[in-house]
Amino acid sequence: MKIGCPTEIKPQEFRVGLTPNAAQEAIAHGHEVIVQAGAGVGAGFEDADYSAAGATIIDTAEEIFATADMIVKVKEPQAGERKMLREGQLLFTYLHLAPDPDQTHELLASGCTAIAYETVTDRNGGLPLLAPMSEVAGRLAPQVGAWTLQKANGGRGVLMGGVPGVGPAKVMVIGGGVVGTHAARIAAGMGADVTVLDRSLPRMRYLDDIYGGTFKTAYASAGNTIELAREADMIIGAVLIPGAAAPKLISRAQLSELKPGAALVDVAIDQGGCFETSKATTHQDPVYEVDGIMHYCVANMPGAVARTSTIALGNATMPFMLALADKGWKQACADDPHLKAGLNVHAGKLTYAAVGEALGLDSITADQAIAG
């Protein structure tokens, strides 16, 4: 199979879909790898690193899309890239279709087969290709939130850990999954007073058993959420419903009940965001204010630490990428139900029910797509 890796063109996206190590593995399996010139520079990988691994360096994205059987990326294809996708081509990347009708319709129109990193599952019910970026985003969230809290950036002017005689910042993390747990650990490590909200009692028991001395837990009822939000200096939104739009947990009307200058960090922005007033921002212009509340809603947070993120993502995606290349997508998905869960689009049909429900579109099952 000819595997193509174009340069990411989303603003301030420095990651790359294939590391030189992943390229070397694919070539060792008998495949051809073509990489766009400069694709890895933002993550610290030079063209020479890919050449040494056996990959061919190609000047333009147009040539990559025109000749590759499988396109491996990081972010969802942008409008110009979607026009270059073709029938029968395999796309393996993050998609986040539920809040993005334009992308969904254009992927359907292209006739390509698209497998989304964020809906591939594992035997424990986890999301193994989302997990490494969730870990990175979770650990970044308190860091960027602390920056947002600084007065010069529009925040309350509160120091995360306080100082002797002055209490620490109060941080509320909504969601106790991978993002929320990592966010809570880092925020607590910065000295903040941290509470994690979740609706799963088993998950809260687990967090309390493991981290009971590090941060607190609370049940994420509507009443509890707003009560704790009123006291918070920083609120980290870390709620995920796999493949579906994120629920809105704090409304526009409730902003008036928060502390002026409080920081909202929405890690769920790729799935539409979990605050009603969230809108995607970039690393170049990450923060905006609504009703005196500062919002940090960068849609590709892990891109800020591109080298760490690229290597972590590559470690997770490589086995699936090799299976798709070695077997073809149909056999690979038939053999692995967890990879099959990643199938979102095939030949003009939506194959992921949660996306269909979010966008009001009909869908077929992945099994029907494979059988077809």
Side-chain angles (χ1 to χ4, degrees):
M1 185 177 280
K2 184 180 281 191
I3 302 167
C5 178
T7 302
E8 296 293 325
I9 60 172
K10 190 162 186 173
Q12 302 292 296
E13 180 52 72
F14 304 109
R15 291 172 292 178
V16 61
L18 278 181
T19 63
N21 281 344
Q24 185 174 350
E25 290 279 345
I27 291 162
H29 279 237
H31 306 293
E32 183 182 349
V33 176
I34 55 176
V35 178
Q36 188 178 348
V41 170
F45 299 117
E46 302 296 331
D47 290 347
D49 298 324
Y50 289 98
S51 296
T56 302
I57 303 302
I58 301 292
D59 286 335
T60 67
E62 285 79 7
E63 192 174 349
I64 299 272
F65 278 86
T67 60
D69 304 305
M70 173 165 61
I71 300 290
V72 180
K73 285 177 40 61
V74 179
K75 293 305 291 179
E76 70 281 356
Q78 303 300 290
E81 295 173 316
R82 297 196 289 268
K83 289 181 173 63
M84 294 188 280
L85 289 166
R86 64 180 191 277
E87 188 173 346
Q89 194 166 44
L90 179 60
L91 173 66
F92 191 38
T93 189
Y94 286 115
L95 292 176
H96 300 290
L97 295 179
D100 193 345
D102 290 345
Q103 183 197 176
T104 303
H105 288 297
E106 289 179 24
L107 289 183
L108 292 169
S110 76
C112 78
T113 298
I115 296 178
Y117 292 163
E118 74 274 7
T119 64
V120 173
T121 57
D122 64 22
R123 67 186 62 187
N124 301 314
L127 301 168
L129 305 191
L130 193 61
M133 296 305 91
S134 296
E135 291 162 355
V136 170
R139 291 181 177 220
L140 266 178
Q143 194 172 305
V144 298
W147 179 86
T148 304
L149 273 178
Q150 292 177 27
K151 193 64 180 176
N153 300 321
R156 284 180 53 71
V158 173
L159 183 65
M160 288 288 275
V163 291
V166 181
K170 290 191 174 182
V171 175
M172 181 173 98
V173 180
I174 309 178
V178 176
V179 170
T181 302
H182 283 265
R185 284 176 57 193
I186 297 302
M190 295 170 79
D193 177 356
V194 182
T195 302
V196 177
L197 280 74
D198 204 280
R199 286 182 177 269
S200 167
L201 292 176
R203 183 63 183 175
M204 284 193 285
R205 289 191 187 101
Y206 168 82
L207 293 175
D208 195 60
D209 286 344
I210 303 299
Y211 302 109
T214 307
F215 53 78
K216 302 179 286 260
T217 58
Y219 188 76
S221 63
N224 247 354
T225 299
I226 190 59
E227 185 178 338
L228 288 165
R230 290 186 190 110
E231 299 301 315
D233 299 295
M234 182 192 306
I235 302 171
I236 297 172
V239 174
L240 173 74
I241 299 173
K248 306 302 181 194
L249 302 173
I250 292 182
S251 69
R252 171 75 183 258
Q254 289 172 323
L255 295 186
S256 63
E257 300 184 52
L258 307 186
K259 292 179 178 178
L264 303 188
V265 181
D266 198 338
V267 190
I269 192 64
D270 270 333
Q271 293 292 122
C274 56
F275 309 125
E276 187 182 359
T277 44
S278 292
K279 61 181 182 182
T281 59
T282 66
H283 292 291
Q284 200 163 11
D285 189 16
V287 177
Y288 63 93
E289 175 265 331
V290 178
D291 295 346
I293 305 302
M294 306 308 298
H295 293 60
Y296 182 101
C297 303
V298 173
N300 59 331
M301 283 176 62
V305 285
R307 187 171 180 86
T308 297
S309 297
T310 293
I311 295 170
L313 181 60
N315 291 342
T317 59
M318 190 192 305
F320 296 100
M321 181 268 292
L322 292 174
L324 290 166
D326 290 347
K327 301 176 180 181
W329 76 268
K330 280 194 177 184
Q331 192 61 49
C333 289
D335 290 349
D336 184 351
H338 303 299
L339 179 57
K340 182 171 68 176
L343 187 65
N344 277 221
V345 170
H346 171 63
K349 302 286 188 181
L350 198 59
T351 57
Y352 200 83
V355 173
E357 290 164 13
L359 297 178
L361 297 173
D362 292 333
S363 63
I364 63 172
T365 68
D367 286 329
Q368 287 173 313
I370 292 169

